[in-house]
Amino acid sequence: MLFSPLLRRSFTAPRLPSLCALCHGWGEQRVCAACLKRWAAPAHRCGRCALGMPWPTTLCGTCLLDPPPYAHAIAAFEYAAPWDGLVARFKFNDALDLGAALTQPLLRAIRVAGVALPDLLLPVPLSEIRLRERGYNQAWEIARRLGKALTLRADAQLLLRTKDTPHQLALPPGARAANVRGAFAVEPLRLREVRGRGIALVDDVLTTGATAAEITRTLLQAGATRVQVWVLARTPRPDH
């Protein structure tokens, strides 16, 4: 059966109820509004590294003494229950249906932070081996949704992972910086797309910040003017 253009424009599919991934109640999205309000309430965070703080402050003690190379970090929630389980499912168990629900609180945190929006969103890249194994890059799933919501360009091909390093979670915190040193590069034929640009690096979790710092240095050396980091979750305290 063929529909006229007028009918096609006026037809909208009904919104179907969804089972909340946290409370398992019915709602309109994979994490219901009540759970978002309860578990993703705004928190005090260090403006530089997004570490959770017990009171309002601009910078944590670590960033006062030894700030990371990125200018700003934004996190939606703590990497703790109940979010850690959802992020793990999203990252390792093909739970792409959680992408929109996990991105929503990050989008809200970005808007509340009031920082200058970047020119470009870049997901932390996976190695070719890990991308083939997993079938998708969870950081890109976040970045592309943020780009659409904020009307920003997101690009999954501009930043490259040049070495297949061991997973950071398998290493002690002190070894993570060395593990990712020299592991990233900007696509050589597209360097002009980085020069003079403000960039937001997008990932799922910020822990020690070793990966984010290494990529930031790579982008600044390529000519980026400013790099900030946007993540779903921040570990409750530094692991170093």
Side-chain angles (χ1 to χ4, degrees):
M1 180 178 180
L2 298 177
F3 293 96
S4 71
L6 180 59
L7 287 175
R8 284 200 300 269
R9 285 196 297 269
S10 62
F11 176 79
T12 56
R15 180 185 286 271
L16 299 176
S18 177
L19 195 65
C20 176
L22 291 180
C23 71
H24 306 295
W26 289 102
E28 294 185 348
Q29 51 196 8
R30 285 293 281 130
V31 178
C32 71
C35 283
L36 284 174
K37 183 177 181 180
R38 178 182 181 186
W39 298 110
H44 302 306
R45 296 191 177 278
C46 170
R48 193 67 181 260
C49 73
L51 181 68
M53 305 294 290
W55 53 76
T57 185
T58 303
L59 296 175
C60 68
T62 299
C63 288
L64 282 171
L65 296 174
D66 185 22
Y70 40 88
H72 192 81
I74 299 173
F77 40 74
E78 294 283 277
Y79 189 63
W83 296 109
D84 53 352
L86 291 194
V87 171
R89 285 167 54 190
F90 173 61
K91 183 174 182 176
F92 298 116
N93 299 117
D94 300 325
L96 294 177
D97 59 306
L98 294 173
L102 290 171
T103 303
Q104 183 179 344
L106 176 53
L107 180 62
R108 182 177 64 183
I110 292 165
R111 288 170 168 158
V112 169
V115 297
L117 291 180
D119 303 302
L120 184 62
L121 303 182
L122 298 182
V124 171
L126 296 177
S127 68
E128 291 187 8
I129 293 174
R130 192 159 294 151
L131 184 58
R132 284 198 299 269
E133 291 174 348
R134 193 172 299 171
Y136 63 97
N137 180 355
Q138 74 282 351
W140 170 243
E141 295 300 317
I142 303 164
R144 67 181 183 87
R145 289 177 169 87
L146 291 175
K148 182 177 181 180
L150 296 170
T151 320
L152 296 173
R153 178 186 163 207
D155 194 313
Q157 305 298 324
L158 186 54
L159 186 62
L160 308 176
R161 188 160 196 141
T162 57
K163 294 195 298 185
D164 182 30
T165 58
H167 200 291
Q168 292 285 74
L169 291 176
L171 300 172
R176 295 181 184 182
N179 183 50
V180 295
R181 191 167 297 129
F184 304 95
V186 175
E187 166 58 55
L189 299 179
R190 301 177 62 192
L191 286 170
R192 60 182 177 79
E193 298 178 46
V194 170
R195 296 190 189 109
R197 301 291 201 279
I199 294 173
L201 182 65
V202 180
D203 205 1
D204 56 336
V205 181
L206 183 65
T207 305
T208 64
T211 297
E214 180 65 20
I215 295 176
T216 295
R217 285 187 284 266
T218 298
L219 292 171
L220 293 175
Q221 290 169 4
T225 57
R226 177 184 172 91
V227 178
Q228 52 184 308
V229 178
W230 295 353
V231 297
L232 296 179
R234 178 66 159 97
T235 51
R237 61 183 59 84
D239 288 346
H240 56 275

